[in-house]
């Protein structure tokens, strides 16, 4: 699904305190809008899983996850308001941004669903983490704090790894499924990079800020930044798959 940019045209620079990261106010708000939309997307899904749960324990667990996702979303929206922008306007360009990934990765088993959630969430979080160093310190801490608190169901992921280790056929099937999942997740990342210059610029700033020789080491081109980001996302995905004992 194409994601439109909410960033202002380059000819109309935005007022802002450019503390730390170097991103404009519009760019900061655009990333915050993406993070908020990412968290909000999980709320109805967890609520539906709570409604379908077979026992009280399951309903309680998924209800808590829905509540935690909403709380993280509200923290990001609070920061957008502190920056003097409308939270609803900031989120609107990303409404339904994850629907295409969900539609193209329908799981047929419990194992596939656990891996789908794990891979999809992890790649999306990695994308936001890669952009975060370009933000002002307060916004950066908000984004990284949300990413730190927003974790996969570690118990289910551990069970998945143990099941794959005990069943070579399952392991091979999940490895193939994981390749499909990361392909779709990277497709979403590519859409974000193609449809909004904001994220390319944030990534360039972040990469420069974390370079050994400081902020002067900016990537030479947007294409270079684009390729670097996708390479980072792919490498991080491969590490996660290896931890599960699966071939990336």
């Amino acid at each position: 699904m194409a994601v439109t940019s909410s960033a202002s045209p380059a000819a109309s620079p935005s007022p802002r305190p450019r503390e730390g990261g170097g991103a404009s106010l519009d760019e900061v708000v655009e990333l915050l809008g993406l993070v908020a939309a990412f968290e909000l997307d999980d709320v109805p899904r967890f609520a539906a899983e709570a409604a379908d749960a077979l026992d009280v324990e399951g309903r309680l667990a998924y209800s808590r996850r829905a509540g935690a996702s909403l709380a993280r979303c509200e923290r990001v929206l609070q920061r957008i308001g502190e920056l003097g922008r409308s939270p609803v306007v900031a989120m609107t360009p990303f409404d339904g941004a994850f629907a295409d990934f969900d539609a193209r990765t329908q799981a047929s088993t419990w194992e596939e669903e656990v891996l789908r959630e794990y891979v999809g969430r992890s790649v999306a979080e990695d994308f936001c983490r890669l952009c975060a160093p370009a933000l002002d310190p307060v916004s950066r801490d908000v984004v990284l704090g949300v990413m730190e608190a927003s974790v996969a169901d570690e118990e289910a992921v551990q069970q998945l790894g143990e099941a794959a280790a005990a069943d070579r056929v399952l392991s091979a099937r999940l490895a193939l499924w994981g390749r499909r999942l990361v392909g779709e997740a990277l497709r979403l990342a590519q859409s974000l990079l193609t449809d909004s210059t904001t994220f390319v610029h944030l990534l360039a700033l972040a990469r420069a800020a974390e370079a050994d020789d400081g902020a002067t080491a900016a990537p030479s081109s947007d294409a270079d930044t684009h390729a670097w980001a996708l390479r980072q996302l792919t490498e991080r995905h491969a590490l996660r798959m290896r931890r599960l004992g699966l071939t990336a």
Side-chain angles (χ1 to χ4, degrees), residues 105-229:
T105 58
Q106 292 295 311
S108 58
T109 66
W110 175 85
E111 292 88 356
E112 288 184 0
E113 177 57 30
V114 171
L115 190 60
R116 187 185 82 89
E117 180 182 333
Y118 183 54
V119 171
R121 169 170 285 280
S122 297
V123 173
E125 289 178 352
D126 283 345
F127 184 89
C128 296
R129 285 191 186 96
L130 287 174
C131 293
L135 308 186
D136 63 274
V138 175
S139 299
R140 180 173 65 243
D141 288 348
V142 168
V143 170
L144 294 179
V146 165
M147 296 298 99
E148 183 67 25
S150 177
V151 295
D153 185 339
E154 294 298 336
E155 182 180 355
V157 171
Q158 181 178 351
Q159 290 174 356
L160 179 66
E162 292 170 353
D167 186 336
R168 294 181 61 185
V169 173
L170 175 63
S171 177
R173 180 164 59 82
L174 289 178
L176 288 173
W177 178 237
R179 293 184 195 113
R180 178 178 172 189
L181 291 170
V182 74
E184 294 296 340
L186 291 176
R187 183 172 177 268
L188 174 58
Q190 288 174 321
S191 178
L192 289 168
L193 291 169
T194 300
D195 295 338
S196 174
T197 58
T198 287
F199 299 116
V200 177
H201 187 227
L202 290 177
L203 289 165
L205 290 171
R207 187 183 180 192
E210 294 189 341
D212 291 340
D213 50 351
T216 57
S220 58
S221 68
D222 287 355
D224 181 40
T225 301
H226 192 140
W228 172 81

